[in-house]
Amino acid sequence: MSSSTSISERQRAAAWLTGAAAAGLALSIAFEALLQLLPAGSDLHRENPQSQASSARLLRNYQYTFSMGWDLRYVVHGRTNSMGFISPHEYRSDAQSIALLGDSFAEGEMLSYEDSLAGHLDALSKGRVQTYNFGLSGASLPHYLGMAREMGPRFPFKAAVVIVGQGDYVEGFESKEGQYRWGGAGEDDVVLVPAETRSLLKQALRRSALLGYLRGNLKFVAGRLFQHPGEPKCEPVRLRDADLQRLSHYVDALPRALGVEPRRIVMLFNGNTRDVYEHVDRARAGAVPGKTCETRDSLAREQLRSLARARGIHVVEVLPLLESHYRVYRRPLDFRPVDPHWNGLATSIVAAEVARRLASKAPGYF
Amino acid sequence: MLFNSPVFVFLFLPVAWLGYLVALRLPIARSGIAFLGLASIFFYGWWNPAFLPLLGVSIVFNYWMGRLLGSPRAAKRWLVAAIVANLALIAYFKYANLLSSSIGAVTGFATPVFDVLLPIGISFYTFTQIAYLVDTYQARRAEKSFSAYVLFVTFFPHLVAGPVLHHSEMMPQFLRDQRRIPTALILEGLLLFACGLAKKVLIADSVAPGVNRAFTLAELHTLGWADSWFGALGYAVQIYFDFSGYSDMAIGLGLMFGIRLPLNFNSPYQSGSIVEFWRRWHMTLSRFLRDYLYIPLGGNRHGPTRRQVNLMLTMLLGGLWHGAAWTFVFWGGLHGFYLQVNHAWRVVLAKTPALQSLVERFPKTTHTLSWTITFLAVVVAWVVFRAESFTGFAHMLQGMFLDAQSIDAAVADPQTAYYIGIGLLIAFLAPNSQQLLTGIGERLVAAGRASLRPFYQGAHVGAILTVIASLTVISLSWGINEFIYFNF
């Protein structure tokens, strides 16, 4: 009797678990089907590398859709060219061009081409020069140099714009597939980490709208699921000799790699747009400014600034530029709270400043 | 640990729930109570373990005072002393700086600034225990089981932001001999939790950034008409969906553990008068203020003038309860004023047959009118409740009613305005979560052929858990916003 009861209990439990799993699966399939119909996330991915020496490229000649947030706001459609960079234009070696290097702020996946930095620069030059966007999301300083070495010999650039963001120096030590990292002892100054070849399963999973939604719209990273929020520690740091040498070499190597004089390069030092709002909106009498904490990265970027200025490279501080506009017009400059990247207004402000700087040094283009 | 955080949803809750099920079956008396009490203390300590000793002292002191007051010969002065001690605790941790700065402002002397960190939930657990002491003194019967008392105070679904509980409605539930939790209650609890999480994540958090921006800018300058109304209506939506969402989650969690917590919201924005609004908004706090403040002050027993004074005093203190700022007191006073007007209107109506017949002739029109006036009055009061200062409040009001010239800050973005519209429509027209979900567990359990019921039950749970997991991931994408009432 007890044996039959226990079997029955076991059967009930099995039926219960089967029901739970079936419902979870059915709902997931329903979400997937729904999201396939909606402009969810980013379906734009890196392509498999052509060779071991290939740096990362997006899928070539690909029409993509991008949106942000759980509710799929700010939908944009864009395309990549035959080189695997976000641009409606093919890059030609016989055209007048400007190189644009940087991370996602340069890449501009979240903006229509007209609203991106490259698009605004194109518009400002009125067709006299075209901006070749080599931006890659997640890239850092060594990758910009690596890309400059790849593209410099192929295109006779008239000028160049490099966006330097927070974390760009220290992230350069990380090994990210398809990207250049800082070289260690006995290595070149920058070293390409081989791009990953996706298995068939991974390629199939990349077609899942649900996974794209999780990654793209919700910015879900499993590792951050149980992170305990805490104040970052502010410890005294200083740059080592190796850091100083690396940066000094960088400002010499970058113009050489691009084949562009330093005075025709604009280095945009970007920060967190949130600070613009904080400075202006919270700038009331008696408000105490937030504590800033110096890091190896912030010191390195500071060093890069002064070295670049010394070499004649234009240094543009993006936040004060945006702040002066925000102080007057109070218009949002990013997609906060769903995304901290520049919106079309911010890129237009930055592009105008770049054009102003280059107008005197590269006459006839702006 | 916030109810909308992954650590709560994916770790704490499953472990606490399964542990409780196991503890209920142990052959040790009150093992379930002990386990749940410990789990609740762990839950509270997760925020900041430094707050635990204060909670512990408060519990031990009040339990001990309760034993004293439960004796038939207990003197009233012990009750007064215990209440004063509780109020002193909350006064120091919550109001010391307000008091000090106010004295400084009035006298012109330099007054000290206390470096005090507000322990989370102190208002809720202190008031819950004051109510317990009063009840114990009146009934002359104290709680004997210390572990049950600890659970009554610390039960994690209500610990940090209510509902404010009555000892009498909770202890029988904690102390009954429960070996298992009915599936119907679990299903109902899960659904309520999911519903509350959806309110918080999809509506309140979607509206919050725009609202914050409007009120931040209002501290600096007057906003335009559209931006001001956007901020004011947005906050009305945010606070309702945030707090009623939290309350749904708390009640749902209680049900998952076989405990029914009292209702806290009953479609307050559908109220036709301010009196009705206070019967539907934060109902357990209203009940507390009525039972332990308004009635002891004399209620309506000493004539209309004294009643008005008692009412105003209750609302002013109710406002102060929310936070250490004069804006909260003003908010309470404003609602006190609204209530006086409401009562006066009732008197006028009762004494004016012509007016009465007019109301009876056009019931729909008069209801729409009174509902509109009530909602607008509530929205105006929310502005001072949310504003960081009276300057911000004045700037918002100027923008709302005087259409002042201002910087076009483009606060009123269409996306947020859309959520405000959806939120208002739900709040005005839809049945509330309790009306929708009460008893649904039993219906779901009984659904389908008997032989397939375990499968169906599992399917229901699996579907709800998938929704909860999805909402939690969405919450994570916002950066996990705190509940507004966690600050009180």
Side-chain angles (χ1 to χ4, degrees), chain A residues 43-68:
Chain A
D43 53 353
L44 182 58
H45 301 288
R46 306 257 174 99
E47 69 166 12
N48 278 337
Q50 312 268 336
S51 74
Q52 276 288 303
S54 300
S55 57
R57 294 285 186 283
L58 301 169
L59 296 171
R60 290 161 204 257
N61 297 315
Y62 191 77
Q63 300 273 355
Y64 71 88
T65 300
F66 186 89
S67 63
M68 298 177 203

mmCIF file of all heavy atoms in Angstrom, chain A residues 43-68:
data_model
loop_
_atom_site.group_PDB
_atom_site.id
_atom_site.type_symbol
_atom_site.label_atom_id
_atom_site.label_comp_id
_atom_site.label_asym_id
_atom_site.label_seq_id
_atom_site.Cartn_x
_atom_site.Cartn_y
_atom_site.Cartn_z
ATOM 1 N N ASP A 43 20.324 42.536 -34.164
ATOM 2 C CA ASP A 43 20.603 41.273 -34.851
ATOM 3 C C ASP A 43 21.924 41.383 -35.607
ATOM 4 O O ASP A 43 22.223 40.596 -36.477
ATOM 5 C CB ASP A 43 19.448 40.902 -35.797
ATOM 6 C CG ASP A 43 19.118 42.034 -36.763
ATOM 7 O OD1 ASP A 43 19.684 43.128 -36.602
ATOM 8 O OD2 ASP A 43 18.297 41.802 -37.662
ATOM 9 N N LEU A 44 22.683 42.418 -35.261
ATOM 10 C CA LEU A 44 23.955 42.644 -35.933
ATOM 11 C C LEU A 44 25.069 41.968 -35.152
ATOM 12 O O LEU A 44 25.272 42.258 -33.976
ATOM 13 C CB LEU A 44 24.224 44.152 -36.017
ATOM 14 C CG LEU A 44 25.484 44.589 -36.739
ATOM 15 C CD1 LEU A 44 25.487 44.084 -38.167
ATOM 16 C CD2 LEU A 44 25.590 46.105 -36.733
ATOM 17 N N HIS A 45 25.779 41.055 -35.796
ATOM 18 C CA HIS A 45 26.808 40.290 -35.095
ATOM 19 C C HIS A 45 28.128 40.368 -35.831
ATOM 20 O O HIS A 45 28.189 40.813 -36.968
ATOM 21 C CB HIS A 45 26.389 38.819 -34.987
ATOM 22 C CG HIS A 45 25.100 38.645 -34.272
ATOM 23 N ND1 HIS A 45 24.971 38.826 -32.922
ATOM 24 C CD2 HIS A 45 23.870 38.314 -34.724
ATOM 25 C CE1 HIS A 45 23.720 38.619 -32.569
ATOM 26 N NE2 HIS A 45 23.035 38.313 -33.650
ATOM 27 N N ARG A 46 29.135 39.873 -35.128
ATOM 28 C CA ARG A 46 30.455 39.799 -35.774
ATOM 29 C C ARG A 46 30.438 38.617 -36.750
ATOM 30 O O ARG A 46 29.821 37.586 -36.485
ATOM 31 C CB ARG A 46 31.528 39.548 -34.718
ATOM 32 C CG ARG A 46 31.498 40.562 -33.580
ATOM 33 C CD ARG A 46 32.596 41.569 -33.715
ATOM 34 N NE ARG A 46 32.464 42.607 -32.694
ATOM 35 C CZ ARG A 46 33.146 42.628 -31.568
ATOM 36 N NH1 ARG A 46 34.026 41.669 -31.315
ATOM 37 N NH2 ARG A 46 33.000 43.598 -30.697
ATOM 38 N N GLU A 47 31.160 38.766 -37.834
ATOM 39 C CA GLU A 47 31.238 37.637 -38.778
ATOM 40 C C GLU A 47 32.395 36.720 -38.384
ATOM 41 O O GLU A 47 33.285 37.123 -37.619
ATOM 42 C CB GLU A 47 31.437 38.157 -40.199
ATOM 43 C CG GLU A 47 32.802 38.784 -40.411
ATOM 44 C CD GLU A 47 33.121 38.981 -41.875
ATOM 45 O OE1 GLU A 47 32.224 38.855 -42.703
ATOM 46 O OE2 GLU A 47 34.283 39.259 -42.179
ATOM 47 N N ASN A 48 32.369 35.534 -38.910
ATOM 48 C CA ASN A 48 33.488 34.624 -38.664
ATOM 49 C C ASN A 48 34.732 35.178 -39.370
ATOM 50 O O ASN A 48 34.643 35.732 -40.468
ATOM 51 C CB ASN A 48 33.168 33.230 -39.214
ATOM 52 C CG ASN A 48 32.326 32.443 -38.227
ATOM 53 O OD1 ASN A 48 32.333 32.731 -37.025
ATOM 54 N ND2 ASN A 48 31.579 31.474 -38.731
ATOM 55 N N PRO A 49 35.903 35.054 -38.741
ATOM 56 C CA PRO A 49 37.109 35.664 -39.329
ATOM 57 C C PRO A 49 37.511 34.989 -40.636
ATOM 58 O O PRO A 49 37.317 33.780 -40.811
ATOM 59 C CB PRO A 49 38.163 35.453 -38.249
ATOM 60 C CG PRO A 49 37.687 34.298 -37.452
ATOM 61 C CD PRO A 49 36.194 34.341 -37.487
ATOM 62 N N GLN A 50 38.070 35.808 -41.546
ATOM 63 C CA GLN A 50 38.539 35.265 -42.825
ATOM 64 C C GLN A 50 39.851 34.490 -42.626
ATOM 65 O O GLN A 50 40.117 33.543 -43.322
ATOM 66 C CB GLN A 50 38.794 36.414 -43.811
ATOM 67 C CG GLN A 50 37.654 37.430 -43.897
ATOM 68 C CD GLN A 50 36.677 37.087 -44.994
ATOM 69 O OE1 GLN A 50 37.021 36.417 -45.936
ATOM 70 N NE2 GLN A 50 35.446 37.527 -44.863
ATOM 71 N N SER A 51 40.665 34.990 -41.670
ATOM 72 C CA SER A 51 41.922 34.301 -41.381
ATOM 73 C C SER A 51 42.308 34.585 -39.937
ATOM 74 O O SER A 51 41.644 35.370 -39.260
ATOM 75 C CB SER A 51 43.026 34.820 -42.311
ATOM 76 O OG SER A 51 43.411 36.113 -41.886
ATOM 77 N N GLN A 52 43.393 33.962 -39.499
ATOM 78 C CA GLN A 52 43.875 34.167 -38.134
ATOM 79 C C GLN A 52 44.275 35.624 -37.888
ATOM 80 O O GLN A 52 44.257 36.097 -36.769
ATOM 81 C CB GLN A 52 45.103 33.267 -37.886
ATOM 82 C CG GLN A 52 44.736 31.846 -37.467
ATOM 83 C CD GLN A 52 44.188 31.799 -36.047
ATOM 84 O OE1 GLN A 52 44.838 32.218 -35.124
ATOM 85 N NE2 GLN A 52 42.974 31.267 -35.898
ATOM 86 N N ALA A 53 44.624 36.315 -38.976
ATOM 87 C CA ALA A 53 45.122 37.689 -38.833
ATOM 88 C C ALA A 53 44.008 38.722 -39.000
ATOM 89 O O ALA A 53 44.277 39.909 -39.085
ATOM 90 C CB ALA A 53 46.218 37.938 -39.850
ATOM 91 N N SER A 54 42.760 38.256 -39.063
ATOM 92 C CA SER A 54 41.653 39.201 -39.270
ATOM 93 C C SER A 54 41.213 39.809 -37.948
ATOM 94 O O SER A 54 41.007 39.087 -36.976
ATOM 95 C CB SER A 54 40.452 38.481 -39.877
ATOM 96 O OG SER A 54 40.786 37.924 -41.098
ATOM 97 N N SER A 55 41.063 41.109 -37.977
ATOM 98 C CA SER A 55 40.452 41.747 -36.800
ATOM 99 C C SER A 55 38.927 41.665 -36.956
ATOM 100 O O SER A 55 38.420 41.296 -38.007
ATOM 101 C CB SER A 55 40.916 43.190 -36.686
ATOM 102 O OG SER A 55 40.602 43.881 -37.868
ATOM 103 N N ALA A 56 38.236 42.018 -35.887
ATOM 104 C CA ALA A 56 36.777 41.824 -35.852
ATOM 105 C C ALA A 56 36.062 42.664 -36.904
ATOM 106 O O ALA A 56 36.384 43.843 -37.096
ATOM 107 C CB ALA A 56 36.264 42.191 -34.471
ATOM 108 N N ARG A 57 35.114 42.055 -37.568
ATOM 109 C CA ARG A 57 34.250 42.754 -38.519
ATOM 110 C C ARG A 57 32.807 42.329 -38.255
ATOM 111 O O ARG A 57 32.553 41.194 -37.852
ATOM 112 C CB ARG A 57 34.582 42.373 -39.965
ATOM 113 C CG ARG A 57 35.920 42.809 -40.447
ATOM 114 C CD ARG A 57 35.947 44.331 -40.729
ATOM 115 N NE ARG A 57 37.211 44.672 -41.330
ATOM 116 C CZ ARG A 57 38.356 44.786 -40.656
ATOM 117 N NH1 ARG A 57 38.369 44.613 -39.353
ATOM 118 N NH2 ARG A 57 39.479 45.088 -41.264
ATOM 119 N N LEU A 58 31.914 43.252 -38.533
ATOM 120 C CA LEU A 58 30.499 42.900 -38.440
ATOM 121 C C LEU A 58 30.099 42.156 -39.709
ATOM 122 O O LEU A 58 30.846 42.164 -40.694
ATOM 123 C CB LEU A 58 29.666 44.177 -38.285
ATOM 124 C CG LEU A 58 30.015 45.019 -37.044
ATOM 125 C CD1 LEU A 58 29.347 46.385 -37.128
ATOM 126 C CD2 LEU A 58 29.576 44.310 -35.776
ATOM 127 N N LEU A 59 28.920 41.529 -39.658
ATOM 128 C CA LEU A 59 28.409 40.858 -40.860
ATOM 129 C C LEU A 59 28.383 41.871 -42.005
ATOM 130 O O LEU A 59 27.941 43.006 -41.825
ATOM 131 C CB LEU A 59 26.992 40.335 -40.603
ATOM 132 C CG LEU A 59 26.865 39.252 -39.535
ATOM 133 C CD1 LEU A 59 25.395 38.988 -39.227
ATOM 134 C CD2 LEU A 59 27.558 37.972 -39.971
ATOM 135 N N ARG A 60 28.870 41.464 -43.167
ATOM 136 C CA ARG A 60 29.005 42.425 -44.271
ATOM 137 C C ARG A 60 27.686 42.624 -45.026
ATOM 138 O O ARG A 60 26.880 41.704 -45.110
ATOM 139 C CB ARG A 60 30.059 41.908 -45.257
ATOM 140 C CG ARG A 60 31.452 41.975 -44.669
ATOM 141 C CD ARG A 60 32.396 41.059 -45.418
ATOM 142 N NE ARG A 60 33.510 40.708 -44.541
ATOM 143 C CZ ARG A 60 34.718 41.238 -44.632
ATOM 144 N NH1 ARG A 60 34.992 42.116 -45.550
ATOM 145 N NH2 ARG A 60 35.665 40.871 -43.797
ATOM 146 N N ASN A 61 27.517 43.823 -45.536
ATOM 147 C CA ASN A 61 26.320 44.174 -46.331
ATOM 148 C C ASN A 61 25.036 43.700 -45.639
ATOM 149 O O ASN A 61 24.207 43.029 -46.237
ATOM 150 C CB ASN A 61 26.405 43.551 -47.736
ATOM 151 C CG ASN A 61 27.580 44.094 -48.502
ATOM 152 O OD1 ASN A 61 27.822 45.297 -48.504
ATOM 153 N ND2 ASN A 61 28.347 43.211 -49.128
ATOM 154 N N TYR A 62 24.907 44.073 -44.421
ATOM 155 C CA TYR A 62 23.806 43.543 -43.604
ATOM 156 C C TYR A 62 22.880 44.670 -43.165
ATOM 157 O O TYR A 62 23.335 45.714 -42.669
ATOM 158 C CB TYR A 62 24.408 42.838 -42.382
ATOM 159 C CG TYR A 62 23.412 42.030 -41.589
ATOM 160 C CD1 TYR A 62 22.986 40.794 -42.047
ATOM 161 C CD2 TYR A 62 22.893 42.505 -40.391
ATOM 162 C CE1 TYR A 62 22.061 40.059 -41.329
ATOM 163 C CE2 TYR A 62 21.972 41.776 -39.672
ATOM 164 C CZ TYR A 62 21.559 40.556 -40.155
ATOM 165 O OH TYR A 62 20.650 39.827 -39.447
ATOM 166 N N GLN A 63 21.582 44.476 -43.395
ATOM 167 C CA GLN A 63 20.577 45.442 -42.920
ATOM 168 C C GLN A 63 20.202 45.034 -41.502
ATOM 169 O O GLN A 63 19.748 43.913 -41.301
ATOM 170 C CB GLN A 63 19.314 45.363 -43.788
ATOM 171 C CG GLN A 63 19.515 45.647 -45.243
ATOM 172 C CD GLN A 63 19.408 47.129 -45.562
ATOM 173 O OE1 GLN A 63 19.093 47.925 -44.696
ATOM 174 N NE2 GLN A 63 19.702 47.491 -46.803
ATOM 175 N N TYR A 64 20.377 45.904 -40.561
ATOM 176 C CA TYR A 64 20.056 45.525 -39.178
ATOM 177 C C TYR A 64 19.020 46.461 -38.570
ATOM 178 O O TYR A 64 18.783 47.559 -39.071
ATOM 179 C CB TYR A 64 21.321 45.504 -38.310
ATOM 180 C CG TYR A 64 21.894 46.881 -38.028
ATOM 181 C CD1 TYR A 64 21.461 47.622 -36.937
ATOM 182 C CD2 TYR A 64 22.850 47.443 -38.854
ATOM 183 C CE1 TYR A 64 21.978 48.881 -36.669
ATOM 184 C CE2 TYR A 64 23.367 48.704 -38.599
ATOM 185 C CZ TYR A 64 22.927 49.419 -37.509
ATOM 186 O OH TYR A 64 23.424 50.669 -37.257
ATOM 187 N N THR A 65 18.432 45.965 -37.488
ATOM 188 C CA THR A 65 17.469 46.770 -36.717
ATOM 189 C C THR A 65 17.980 46.852 -35.287
ATOM 190 O O THR A 65 18.470 45.860 -34.758
ATOM 191 C CB THR A 65 16.081 46.097 -36.729
ATOM 192 O OG1 THR A 65 15.658 45.994 -38.088
ATOM 193 C CG2 THR A 65 15.058 46.892 -35.944
ATOM 194 N N PHE A 66 17.881 48.014 -34.700
ATOM 195 C CA PHE A 66 18.352 48.184 -33.335
ATOM 196 C C PHE A 66 17.280 48.904 -32.524
ATOM 197 O O PHE A 66 16.612 49.811 -33.016
ATOM 198 C CB PHE A 66 19.647 49.018 -33.335
ATOM 199 C CG PHE A 66 20.298 49.121 -31.986
ATOM 200 C CD1 PHE A 66 21.220 48.182 -31.579
ATOM 201 C CD2 PHE A 66 19.974 50.155 -31.117
ATOM 202 C CE1 PHE A 66 21.821 48.277 -30.325
ATOM 203 C CE2 PHE A 66 20.561 50.242 -29.867
ATOM 204 C CZ PHE A 66 21.488 49.304 -29.472
ATOM 205 N N SER A 67 17.111 48.461 -31.293
ATOM 206 C CA SER A 67 16.205 49.177 -30.383
ATOM 207 C C SER A 67 16.768 49.060 -28.973
ATOM 208 O O SER A 67 17.698 48.285 -28.734
ATOM 209 C CB SER A 67 14.797 48.590 -30.454
ATOM 210 O OG SER A 67 14.795 47.255 -30.014
ATOM 211 N N MET A 68 16.203 49.816 -28.062
ATOM 212 C CA MET A 68 16.720 49.831 -26.690
ATOM 213 C C MET A 68 15.599 49.603 -25.691
ATOM 214 O O MET A 68 14.446 49.923 -25.943
ATOM 215 C CB MET A 68 17.316 51.201 -26.370
ATOM 216 C CG MET A 68 18.469 51.602 -27.190
ATOM 217 S SD MET A 68 18.919 53.262 -26.682
ATOM 218 C CE MET A 68 19.766 53.769 -28.152
#
